[in-house]
Amino acid sequence: IVKGDEKLSDTAATSKVIDPGMFGNDSVNSSDTSKNSSSSSSSTNIDDMRFLKPIQKPIAGKDAQHAPRFRRESEMYPAIASLFRLVERLICKFAILQDSTQKTSPSQSVKVYEKADVGPKDSDNYLHIDLGLFISDMWKHPAFNDRAMKHNKGPEIGAADPKYADIFAIVKAKISEDDQVDAYKQLLLYTYSIYWHQHDCRFAWGLTVCDTAIRACVFGNDGFLASDKMDLSEADGRSAFIGLLVNMAYCGREQLGFDPTIRYNSVRSMWEIDVFNDSDSTKTTCEIVSVMQAAERIFGRHTRCFRCKLPDDENGTEKNNDSDSDSDSNGLGHFIVKDAWAYAEGDPDSPGFRDEVSVLRSINEQLGADASFEGTIPKLHWGGVVRITGQDGVALEDKADPLFQILSNEDSANHRRVHKRLAMGPIGEPLRMVRSVDELIVVVADAMEAHNAILERCGILHRDISTNNILINRSQGSVRGMLIDFDCAVRTDASDKT
């Protein structure tokens, strides 16, 4: 591929990309296989991939403007898909010839959907994607790890119809490099749907192919980064592109943006989520009953809320009841797990530091024993920074800083977000669900009374009062108003209550 030969069979291409010495007695001599490449059923015709072949330099005069390689974007799709499939086959071939128990063995491969220029099956808009890529487990063909909610097992090998719940990255094609900015804009629109449908997506990938130039994009909470141009008409560009896919095959899934602390339990047919508790360094695994809120924006906190319960015991007996009340033997019914990338602003010891976990702990300590505020403030069960365990077995706090430090020269202080998760209750209803004007008055009055007590007695200012942050609490058999979402709350000076 790197040399841009006219025709390459799989075996011939393998010997060019990977050192034949690695294959031992099974190594293939490229000169021998190239003789039979035209008759090989698995040969790849590089003539079909026009972007792999340099266009003749333009000459002066009326012919100075050379014709584009492709007249329309749709002509690019088969060529791009063929290149992805060829590199993927070579990586698979190399993996099969290696000992799968070695630490150096690839974990997954990047595969391309069969259909191009289609609207994903779970799309709620009119947008069509050019090409979709998904991740396939290298050693568990044909099924790939569970991705979407509702027990979706993910696409099978050679899947035809893409779904946002399964897509790893979207490829946007343009016939000219002059359209690079437009390609970025369209990737942003697609990425919104990826975040909305994938609840275990920490950051998203995308690729643009403008004429011969491929760029890889990573979408974070506060912006996106694009790689340098990988020019497929040049050997160095093709090497960089192949290296990208090889690295994606060998790295851990957490490095591809997936969250291993949200996973599908095939034995229980249930999605699970880990909640970390900073106060005692423990981890509690909860079962997700339903998704109450998905990530609604491309950038920002990516707040997600799940209705959860503790797992059933080994005998199948539920540790929780099916209601929202806290009347079971464990003191927990169904509860909310909030997952968000909070902005870590300032010094943790400074009054203006924002930390919802510590704020709720302080409020519960100060007001939790006061019966008059029962049901008007959230009760924190566990909460802390999400810890991701990598391939080396080391658990690290999930932060945005390391990603941007590795991928760019930007000051990581611009991306000081921390991945936090809180389990709390009770579960409330949106303010729009009030049944009467009297209920509305009671609910808002309770929330404002709680706000005043939190400021006066706890020295904490909420700073984000809105209709979305006042809930109706019916869990105790009566109607109360509950103030939630302390992401923006700060501690105030005791002498300053304005």
Side-chain angles (χ1 to χ4, degrees), residues 98-348:
Q98 301 301 302
D99 182 0
S100 62
T101 63
Q102 294 179 3
K103 292 183 179 180
T104 56
S105 299
S107 302
Q108 60 270 324
S109 62
V110 179
K111 303 185 74 70
V112 62
Y113 284 94
E114 293 179 4
K115 289 185 179 180
D117 191 22
V118 296
K121 294 176 65 176
D122 53 358
S123 175
D124 55 0
N125 55 47
Y126 62 89
L127 295 177
H128 280 208
I129 64 172
D130 293 355
L131 288 167
L133 306 177
F134 65 93
I135 297 296
S136 172
D137 194 303
M138 185 69 73
W139 303 110
K140 295 182 179 179
H141 288 242
F144 132 80
N145 80 317
D146 307 293
R147 299 286 300 111
M149 291 294 176
K150 298 182 180 179
H151 304 177
N152 177 12
K153 298 287 195 300
E156 293 187 354
I157 300 304
D161 297 317
K163 293 196 298 183
Y164 280 122
D166 303 323
I167 292 174
F168 161 64
I170 291 174
V171 181
K172 180 58 192 174
K174 293 288 187 181
I175 62 175
S176 171
E177 279 198 71
D178 295 337
D179 299 323
Q180 183 66 61
V181 174
D182 289 337
Y184 288 148
K185 291 178 180 178
Q186 290 182 273
L187 273 187
L188 284 169
L189 294 176
Y190 301 143
T191 303
Y192 164 82
S193 295
I194 289 179
Y195 277 123
W196 175 264
H197 288 89
Q198 296 187 21
H199 309 295
D200 59 346
C201 179
R202 295 161 54 236
F203 55 88
W205 290 81
L207 291 98
T208 64
V209 184
C210 298
D211 189 28
T212 64
I214 287 188
R215 287 180 172 85
C217 303
V218 176
F219 298 87
N221 299 89
D222 297 298
F224 77 94
L225 298 172
S227 70
D228 293 333
K229 177 175 66 175
M230 295 175 281
D231 195 336
L232 295 178
S233 67
E234 299 176 357
D236 288 345
R238 292 192 290 274
S239 294
F241 172 70
I242 295 170
L244 173 67
L245 296 186
V246 170
N247 283 323
M248 286 180 170
Y250 278 83
C251 72
R253 289 186 182 271
E254 73 281 355
Q255 293 175 286
L256 297 177
F258 300 125
D259 189 345
T261 64
I262 301 178
R263 60 196 171 275
Y264 186 76
N265 187 326
S266 58
V267 176
R268 296 184 180 271
S269 298
M270 179 71 69
W271 277 83
E272 297 177 338
I273 184 170
D274 295 331
V275 182
F276 302 84
N277 200 36
D278 287 346
S279 62
D280 55 9
S281 300
T282 58
K283 179 180 72 174
T284 302
T285 298
C286 311
E287 291 185 351
I288 297 178
V289 178
S290 63
V291 179
M292 302 192 70
Q293 178 179 327
E296 296 179 334
R297 293 179 175 86
I298 301 174
F299 303 120
R301 290 180 289 178
H302 291 161
T303 301
R304 301 174 172 100
C305 293
F306 307 96
R307 185 188 186 105
C308 298
K309 66 184 185 70
L310 292 177
D312 303 340
D313 60 25
E314 295 181 357
N315 297 322
T317 304
E318 288 194 6
K319 294 182 180 180
N320 312 101
N321 56 29
D322 290 329
S323 67
D324 298 337
S325 65
D326 299 336
S327 58
D328 69 325
S329 59
N330 289 277
L332 287 176
H334 287 187
F335 50 88
I336 291 291
V337 171
K338 176 182 177 181
D339 180 274
W341 286 82
Y343 186 60
E345 182 180 32
D347 184 354

Side-chain angles (χ1 to χ4, degrees), residues 373 375-377 431 440-454 462 465-466 469-471 480-484 486:
F373 294 103
T376 66
I377 57 175
L431 192 59
L440 177 62
I441 294 174
V442 169
V443 169
V444 174
D446 282 347
M448 292 304 97
E449 186 176 355
H451 177 273
N452 185 64
I454 291 170
H462 188 281
I465 300 295
S466 68
N469 292 336
I470 298 177
L471 298 182
R480 301 297 306 268
M482 182 167 59
L483 184 63
I484 64 166
F486 290 81

Side-chain angles (χ1 to χ4, degrees), residues 2 17 40 96 161 169 176 231 339 391 413 421:
V2 173
V17 176
S40 173
I96 291 172
D161 297 317
S176 171
D231 195 336
D339 180 274
Q391 289 179 311
R421 198 168 287 160

Side-chain angles (χ1 to χ4, degrees), residues 31-77:
S31 60
D32 294 339
T33 57
S34 60
K35 298 177 183 178
N36 300 323
S37 62
S38 59
S39 60
S40 173
S41 59
S42 60
S43 64
T44 300
N45 192 343
I46 301 300
D47 284 332
D48 292 338
M49 304 182 193
R50 276 174 274 172
F51 49 72
L52 291 181
K53 301 177 68 177
I55 289 181
Q56 185 176 1
K57 294 182 178 180
I59 59 177
K62 62 179 181 179
D63 296 326
Q65 297 296 324
H66 61 72
R69 300 166 196 270
F70 301 94
R71 291 175 296 177
R72 56 184 65 90
E73 294 172 7
S74 58
E75 294 179 357
M76 300 177 67
Y77 304 154

